[in-house]
Amino acid sequence: MKISIFTSVLASILILSGCSSAPKSTWKKAGISQHDTHNAIQKCKYQIGIAKVNSEKENSLFSSCMESEGYRYTS
């Protein structure tokens, strides 16, 4: 009896948590694989790291770098 109640509660939690998760926003470019996108992200991070810029400017530069490669940040 306890196992079936536990199983029911666990199944309910899993179902509800699956429904509540929002789509994840990512960098996308038409016709480009996830592997190539990952490589572009790492390339931009590397270039910013070499430039030794302020941490305040990193996000802005990263977005600019990805956009210059033709990527868009979408969900």
Side-chain angles (χ1 to χ4, degrees):
M1 178 82 174
K2 287 183 181 182
I3 293 176
S4 65
I5 292 172
F6 175 74
T7 305
S8 298
V9 170
L10 182 60
S12 298
I13 290 171
L14 290 174
I15 290 170
L16 290 175
S17 67
C19 295
S20 66
S21 58
K24 186 178 178 183
S25 296
T26 59
W27 289 98
K28 295 181 183 176
K29 183 177 177 180
I32 302 298
S33 70
Q34 188 176 17
H35 176 73
D36 290 335
T37 300
H38 176 73
N39 286 343
I41 289 170
Q42 294 307 314
K43 178 183 171 186
C44 286
K45 287 182 178 181
Y46 177 76
Q47 290 174 344
I48 292 168
I50 288 176
K52 298 181 181 178
V53 296
N54 257 338
S55 59
E56 298 168 355
K57 294 183 180 181
E58 283 181 10
N59 288 336
S60 175
L61 288 173
F62 179 75
S63 293
S64 296
C65 179
M66 290 299 288
E67 290 169 2
S68 73
E69 296 286 329
Y71 287 88
R72 291 181 13 189
Y73 193 69
T74 59
S75 56

